[in-house]
Amino acid sequence: MPQITVDYSAPLDRRGFALALHPFVVETVDTTLDACKTRFREVEELVTGDGTDHDVIVHVEIALLPGRTDELKGRLSEGVLDLLPAHLKTTDGVRLSVEVRDLEPSYRKR
């Protein structure tokens, strides 16, 4: 925990983003650096709206153990949105989004 997933179709410095993101998550949600795990999934095809715009996205999902307030999750989301542009080659036309959610009770790790 935290389990972080990044879906992207924009040119993203993945390693640089993860290495900047992890310390921010640690500071914000009071966890340890070695607990942060980020995986990236490149989106090959995406259509938004009526499809007339060039469709480029970065969506970050952060799943945490339950117990964080909605306010803290909102601060984490805003901070991630602020961090992303520095790791993109361009922000023109890129749609950025972040979701912070609780892990399901079935979550286990070893």
Side-chain angles (χ1 to χ4, degrees):
M1 183 301 292
Q3 297 291 327
I4 304 163
T5 304
V6 181
D7 294 311
Y8 70 98
S9 62
L12 174 67
D13 173 10
R14 296 180 306 271
R15 184 169 180 80
F17 176 63
L19 292 175
L21 176 63
H22 291 176
F24 176 71
V25 171
V26 166
E27 177 184 313
T28 305
V29 302
D30 190 29
T31 188
T32 62
L33 193 58
D34 64 335
C36 294
K37 297 165 213 67
T38 299
R39 66 180 177 265
F40 295 90
R41 300 185 299 202
E42 186 171 9
V43 176
E44 292 184 25
E45 187 170 350
L46 168 74
V47 177
T48 57
D50 65 4
T52 58
D53 291 331
H54 184 64
D55 302 319
V56 184
I57 60 113
V58 178
H59 175 74
V60 180
E61 180 182 292
I62 302 174
L64 304 169
L65 291 173
R68 275 53 178 226
T69 66
D70 288 342
E71 178 184 82
L72 183 129
K73 291 175 189 175
R75 281 198 319 265
L76 182 58
S77 293
E78 289 296 328
V80 173
L81 285 173
D82 291 343
L83 189 64
L84 268 168
H87 301 281
L88 292 167
K89 290 185 181 174
T90 181
T91 57
D92 292 341
V94 179
R95 298 173 187 218
L96 305 177
S97 58
V98 179
E99 177 187 7
V100 179
R101 65 173 185 82
D102 290 340
L103 287 162
E104 293 296 321
S106 62
Y107 174 76
R108 302 291 188 273
K109 67 178 181 173
R110 288 184 194 215

